[in-house]
Amino acid sequence: MLVSGFVRNEARLTFDILAASRRSGDSLETSMAAWARLLGKLTDAERFPAVTAALRAGELDTPGGPDDEFVFGLERILDGVEALVSARS
């Protein structure tokens, strides 16, 4: 369920950003920067200091390779599952 939800969320987010880019006529880079600004407005700096720092550094302003973020996130999920299984062994 966790992996399925992650995949579904990543697909939806990618679709939404591409659709916004097409609707506005802006480049994908401009749409990504707008999305990052929105996240910055919605993120509580005290509660999520690392996210706030990443947004301020421009980490999400431009798209990476087509699979970079997906692979990174999936690897983190699978690392967590591996750690849980190892701890129980």
Side-chain angles (χ1 to χ4, degrees):
M1 294 290 292
L2 177 62
V3 172
S4 175
F6 173 74
V7 170
R8 193 170 36 256
N9 184 63
E10 285 292 309
R12 185 70 208 182
L13 181 59
T14 299
F15 174 83
D16 288 348
I17 291 171
L18 289 171
S21 177
R22 286 186 192 117
R23 274 193 312 272
S24 69
D26 291 335
S27 68
L28 184 56
E29 288 78 12
T30 300
S31 293
M32 287 290 294
W35 181 72
R37 282 192 303 277
L38 176 61
L39 283 179
K41 291 178 184 177
L42 299 174
T43 302
D44 180 344
E46 288 184 29
R47 190 166 174 204
F48 303 105
V51 172
T52 301
L55 290 169
R56 286 184 182 153
E59 291 295 323
L60 298 180
D61 287 357
T62 57
D67 296 327
D68 292 348
E69 292 174 16
F70 176 80
V71 170
F72 177 83
L74 183 59
E75 285 175 347
R76 299 302 67 78
I77 290 170
L78 296 177
D79 288 347
V81 170
E82 180 182 30
L84 178 65
V85 169
S86 294
R88 290 185 175 180
S89 296

